Amino acid sequence: MEAIARANTNIALIKYWGKRDEKLFLPMNSSVSITLDQFYTTTSVQFSPNLAADIFLLNGQQENEEETRKISRFLDKIRVLAGKDVHAIVDSMNSVPTAAGFASSASGFAALAAAASKAIGLNLDERELSIIARQGSGSACRSIYGGFVEWQKGEREDGLDSFAQPLLDEKEWDLTIFSVLVESKRKKVLSREGMRRTVETSPFYSGWLKAVEEELVIAKSAIANKDFEVIGNVLEKNALKMHATTLGADPPFLYWQGATFDVMEQVWELRANGIGAYFTIDAGPNVKIICERKDEKRVQAALSELPTVQKIFVCHPGQGVTYLSTSDFKNRKEEE
Ligand code: ADP
Ligand code: DP6
């Protein structure tokens, strides 16, 4: 009863920010993302009747009780669906910094959903997989698919209409997404806590919900038309609005650091010089910059000039979940 799956992270162009149901991970608003080719999680799940409890290894290290409990709670949903009461060894490798705003939770839970459901013998389609992955981490439901993806918030209380759907295949629009590392430490306010505090206390949250509805329409139409200027403008504005809500929270918080702002200013400088580059930032200090492939070198050169930038990863739209053989997984672990 073993299966191995790989899922790429995704970066939201229109953010998921706030839950209407914390238990089922039902969002307040729909969101839109690009799945990235360079950052991914590879997870092996092996169920065994000989195990007394679940074991969770991340990058070769056994994780603490709290992290293992998160995995067990997620596996419980899969065990209930399969009607099998059996524990698992989860062995996961992140080719992405963990808890630093690079969406390790998205690739992590998408890979876990795919590997665990296959290992236990469930034959789920992509929509069902998206619904399961959502219940590990909301953004994970979008990583089931490649390319440009929408997570429809849904209306139902049971969450069965809250899943991701592909908008445009990864091969259809060749954009460049730079993931710029300015800080690799685990962040202090996890996205889960950050969005909860914002929903509960920020007076700006109602403004967010109103704006995001309009921005979703603009973003989806820009993707359908492959209109780069329109998607760029709307994704940057949407990110700024999400971060503005955190300043109104109580206690207030901000994911940006000085280096985050250096990158933002450099992007504005590029645009002032006629180069179409736009930034977005998730729940951490690192920045993602999106440009057309033709401008990739110029944008990379401008980002490289910044002394506070530690590393620049060059990504392109990537594929959805794939399954690996045991030997592929062993080879990967030896490489890393
Ligand atoms: P990030 O920006 O990296 O997504 P989050 O705070 O949203 O940061 O999520 C980090 C959490 O995601 C981790 O604390 C862990 O619970 C979970 N996570 C990260 N990687 C994996 C993985 N490979 N498998 C399962 N869960 C993971
Ligand atoms: C800012 O999906 O990590 O990256 O559902 O609580 O696990 P949980 O949160 P998570 O939040 C992602 C927030 C975001 C925006 C986005 O990816 O849409």
Side-chain angles (χ1 to χ4, degrees), residues 122-135:
L122 287 168
N123 189 15
L124 303 182
D125 63 23
E126 286 175 320
R127 178 174 294 187
E128 291 167 320
L129 217 45
S130 178
I131 290 174
I132 293 284
R134 189 199 76 219
Q135 295 171 68

Side-chain angles (χ1 to χ4, degrees), residues 12 16 19 25 105 137-139 142 191-192 195 242 282:
Y16 146 52
K19 295 182 181 68
F25 291 75
S105 60
S137 180
S139 53
R142 300 184 306 234
S191 36
R192 196 157 300 180
M195 64 176 85
M242 180 200 116
D282 280 333

Side-chain angles (χ1 to χ4, degrees), residues 10-35:
N10 68 79
I11 164 79
L13 307 178
I14 300 294
K15 308 292 182 193
Y16 146 52
W17 195 240
K19 295 182 181 68
R20 65 176 198 275
D21 182 324
E22 295 215 337
K23 255 194 155 151
L24 287 175
F25 291 75
L26 296 176
M28 295 285 261
N29 61 274
S30 299
S31 53
V32 169
S33 60
I34 306 184
T35 301

